[in-house]
């Protein structure tokens, strides 16, 4: 069986034109608790915002479709599919393109963030099947990867360089049987990449074990936006400084050192006794727009929006409230998945 790389496929950059955006409707009452209704309104707002720039399909459990349609409005398509919750970045396919711009996708193995919640597979078997169901729906070629991985843990420049973190990909709760080299080989084979830039750890109390989409992303080849802290007393300070040092020392697949655009993290906020992993890096690049979370901290929100506007001068920066989404563990990038425009 050919791997995507052998078949000529690669993971394109997120800034290339999209066919559509995929999302999923919040439904896990155990995770969201009393915040479920607020989360649904927040997801709907993200969906409506993205729909101004590109088509959006919201996957929802069949008995939630009417509610999703009602809150999202007529500009968002709702697709009935059985799901366990709403983190499309992690459960949906990682879409690929080849030289003829044919669309395919990687179906990673999903184990609910390293069986984090001590739950039997039954509680996330629908999420584990989501990528295949979506690829079937769009009639795209499917590559089943021999690797447990969530889409929020990787980020590519579309030219062969990948960002990820040691805390997540080397975590024994994902692929304990694989060495670092074996994990790198699988990433190269299934994403068509040639160079991996390893960051260290993720944000304090990030229950994804340090997804990179909270830490750093390519703005264009050779240019990375990275979350920073200027407060040495902050628990994230050392973590983010270490990641900055790694980025400064790194070279991309073309041998270039990376230009780094820094964006300050928002002020610390707690929820249920743990720190919320809030990050402005967790944005979605829609066609012609940057959909970026805000956290009801005008000073930090505005500064982040200015950084994004300068980094993406040809795109409209639209901030959407991320406070009710982050209580579930992620943000705008975590709840979206771009499908690149094919031939």
């Amino acid at each position: 069986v050919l791997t995507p790389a052998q078949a000529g496929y690669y993971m394109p950059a997120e800034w290339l034109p999209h066919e559509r955006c995929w999302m999923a409707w919040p439904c896990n009452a155990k995770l969201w608790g009393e915040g479920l209704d607020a989360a649904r309104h927040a997801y709907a707002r993200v969906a409506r915002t993205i729909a101004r720039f590109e088509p959006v399909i919201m996957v929802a459990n069949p008995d939630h479709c009417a509610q999703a349609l009602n809150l999202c409005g007529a500009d968002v398509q709702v697709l009935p599919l059985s799901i366990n919750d709403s983190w499309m970045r992690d459960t949906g396919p990682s879409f690929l393109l080849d030289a003829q711009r044919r669309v395919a996708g990687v179906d990673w193995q999903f184990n609910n963030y390293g069986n984090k919640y001590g739950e039997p597979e039954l509680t996330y078997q629908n999420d584990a099947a989501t990528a295949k169901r979506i690829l079937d729906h769009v009639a795209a070629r499917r590559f089943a990867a021999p690797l447990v991985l969530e889409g929020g843990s990787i980020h590519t420049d579309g030219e062969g360089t990948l960002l990820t973190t040691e805390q997540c990909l080397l975590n024994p709760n994902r692929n304990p049987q694989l060495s670092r080299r074996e994990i790198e080989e699988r990433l190269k084979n299934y994403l068509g990449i040639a160079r991996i830039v390893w960051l260290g750890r993720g944000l304090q109390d990030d229950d994804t074990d340090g997804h990179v989409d909270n830490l750093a992303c390519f703005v264009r080849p050779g240019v990375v936006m990275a979350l920073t802290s200027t407060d040495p007393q902050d628990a994230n300070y050392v973590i983010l400084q270490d990641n900055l040092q790694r980025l400064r020392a790194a070279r991309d697949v073309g041998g270039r050192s990376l230009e780094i655009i820094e964006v300050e993290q928002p002020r610390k906020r707690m929820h249920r006794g743990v720190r919320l992993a809030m990050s402005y890096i967790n944005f979605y690049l829609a066609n012609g727009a940057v959909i970026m979370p805000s956290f009801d901290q005008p000073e930090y929100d505005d500064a982040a929006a200015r950084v994004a506007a300068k980094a993406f001068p040809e795109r409209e920066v639209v901030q959407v409230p991320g406070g009710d989404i982050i209580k579930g563990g992620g943000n705008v990038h975590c709840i979206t998945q771009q499908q690149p425009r094919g031939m």
Side-chain angles (χ1 to χ4, degrees):
V1 182
L2 290 180
T3 67
Q6 290 168 332
Y9 286 94
Y10 72 102
M11 185 176 177
E14 296 183 19
W15 52 78
L16 289 189
H18 300 167
E19 185 70 31
R20 62 176 61 89
C21 172
W22 289 88
M23 295 180 65
W25 195 242
C27 58
N28 186 337
K30 188 175 175 184
L31 172 75
W32 293 100
E34 72 289 348
L36 181 58
D37 187 58
R40 286 171 168 167
H41 280 83
Y43 274 61
R45 182 163 178 172
V46 172
R48 292 194 306 269
T49 303
I50 295 173
R52 288 169 40 198
F53 302 95
E54 66 191 39
V56 176
I57 297 182
M58 179 72 74
V59 170
N61 279 312
D63 55 341
H64 295 152
C65 284
Q67 180 198 45
L69 197 57
N70 182 47
L71 287 179
C72 292
D75 290 337
V76 175
Q77 181 186 343
V78 175
L79 178 68
L81 274 185
S82 293
I83 53 174
N84 301 116
D85 204 27
S86 51
W87 308 100
M88 185 57 80
R89 178 68 49 180
D90 299 330
T91 60
S94 293
F95 284 101
L96 309 172
L97 289 176
D98 68 2
Q100 287 76 48
R101 297 192 64 77
R102 287 178 294 210
V103 177
V106 182
D107 179 0
W108 306 104
Q109 295 174 23
F110 180 71
N111 75 348
N112 211 16
Y113 309 96
N115 294 300
K116 180 71 45 51
Y117 308 103
E119 296 173 344
E121 186 180 336
L122 206 62
T123 61
Y124 57 85
Q125 63 181 9
N126 285 322
D127 280 352
T130 295
K132 180 182 186 302
R133 290 168 178 166
I134 286 175
L135 292 170
D136 287 347
H137 182 79
V138 299
R141 184 173 178 180
R142 170 179 168 262
F143 293 94
L147 189 69
V148 174
L149 185 136
E150 305 95 36
S153 68
I154 52 172
H155 186 83
T156 178
D157 65 353
E159 296 190 350
T161 309
L162 185 90
L163 298 175
T164 190
T165 68
E166 294 169 348
Q167 183 190 358
C168 187
L169 264 62
L170 305 185
N171 199 306
N173 65 12
R174 303 296 205 284
N175 298 283
Q177 77 286 8
L178 299 179
S179 68
R180 182 190 189 113
R181 187 183 59 79
E182 289 169 326
I183 289 171
E184 288 188 341
E185 283 304 307
R186 282 164 171 74
L187 292 172
K188 290 173 180 178
N189 287 335
Y190 280 81
L191 297 172
I193 52 134
R195 175 69 59 88
I196 298 171
V197 177
W198 287 95
L199 302 185
R201 298 182 58 77
L203 298 178
Q204 180 186 22
D205 294 340
D206 178 358
D207 59 10
T208 68
D209 300 311
H211 275 187
V212 79
D213 63 2
N214 270 336
L215 304 172
C217 65
F218 285 103
V219 167
R220 51 189 171 276
V223 183
V224 170
M225 187 182 294
L227 195 70
T228 58
S229 168
T230 52
D231 176 10
Q233 304 305 313
D234 190 287
N236 286 329
Y237 179 82
V238 171
I239 293 166
L240 297 175
Q241 285 297 316
D242 176 64
N243 286 334
L244 277 178
Q245 288 170 6
R246 291 172 185 240
L247 287 168
R248 290 183 185 120
R251 296 287 183 274
D252 70 7
V253 72
R256 288 175 295 197
S257 57
L258 302 172
E259 177 190 335
I260 302 164
I261 300 170
E262 298 184 24
V263 58
E264 177 83 4
Q265 67 173 1
R267 276 194 312 276
K268 177 178 178 177
R269 189 176 292 162
M270 305 293 288
H271 177 63
R272 293 178 181 168
V274 297
R275 182 175 184 167
L276 294 172
M278 300 187 298
S279 172
Y280 296 113
I281 302 293
N282 208 297
F283 57 75
Y284 179 77
L285 291 181
N287 291 337
V290 183
I291 314 300
M292 175 182 254
S294 61
F295 298 105
D296 210 17
Q297 299 181 19
E299 179 188 348
Y300 291 90
D301 294 346
D302 293 351
R306 287 194 297 272
V307 172
K310 191 174 178 185
F312 298 100
E314 72 291 356
R315 293 175 186 263
E316 181 182 343
V317 177
V318 185
Q319 285 186 307
V320 290
D324 289 320
I325 303 173
I326 189 59
K327 289 174 184 174
N331 229 294
V332 176
H333 190 260
C334 304
I335 69 174
T336 52
Q337 180 68 264
Q338 72 282 348
Q339 179 182 335
R341 190 177 297 159
M343 58 178 188

